[in-house]
Amino acid sequence: SKAGSNHPMRFHIRIEELGDQVPETDQQQQQQQDVEHHWTFLEAQMDRIEHEMHTIIAEADFFKERDSVYHQQTDDLHKATLFWPILHVGILLITGFTQANHIVNFFKTRRII
């Protein structure tokens, strides 16, 4: 499965220290320093990767929100393009009917019809 803010993945590292304490030589001290440096480097890399992961998730959320707003605007525009022509046709029909009634009344009052 993929890790994300909704589905975090857990992992752990198990480190065991040997019980026998042997006096350290220069070589062992150097190896110990190398191991500590290696762990410090790994910790820094883990922090960097975690930061990048949070950045990627934040960007994905931002683009998802932006896409949602764009989709809503597109739906609103689509509804408006259906509404306005119907409104125009209705206004034209009402205007035509009113003008026809006025002409008929005019002719009736002048006794032309």
Side-chain angles (χ1 to χ4, degrees):
S1 68
K2 303 218 179 215
S5 61
N6 292 335
H7 303 287
M9 292 182 69
R10 294 184 180 191
F11 64 94
H12 71 278
I13 298 173
R14 183 176 178 188
I15 301 172
E16 293 183 11
E17 186 175 332
L18 296 177
D20 296 335
Q21 295 294 328
V22 179
E24 295 184 356
T25 62
D26 289 338
Q27 184 180 8
Q28 286 176 334
Q29 286 178 350
Q30 181 62 33
Q31 285 178 348
Q32 182 66 25
Q33 288 176 354
D34 288 346
V35 168
E36 288 175 4
H37 172 71
H38 181 70
W39 279 114
T40 305
F41 175 75
L42 285 177
E43 290 170 348
Q45 291 298 319
M46 291 283 291
D47 287 341
R48 182 187 60 78
I49 290 170
E50 183 179 9
H51 176 71
E52 287 179 8
M53 182 180 66
H54 287 298
T55 302
I56 289 169
I57 290 171
E59 284 182 20
D61 290 341
F62 170 74
F63 283 112
K64 183 171 66 173
E65 181 66 29
R66 196 168 90 175
D67 185 54
S68 173
V69 169
Y70 175 75
H71 182 69
Q72 184 63 39
Q73 288 175 344
T74 305
D75 283 347
D76 292 343
L77 182 64
H78 179 68
K79 289 175 185 174
T81 57
L82 291 176
F83 174 72
W84 283 109
I86 293 171
L87 181 67
H88 286 155
V89 168
I91 291 172
L92 285 174
L93 288 174
I94 291 170
T95 304
F97 183 74
T98 305
Q99 286 181 351
N101 278 339
H102 281 294
I103 286 178
V104 168
N105 287 336
F106 174 76
F107 286 140
K108 282 184 180 181
T109 56
R110 303 279 185 209
R111 294 192 176 153
I112 298 176
I113 297 180

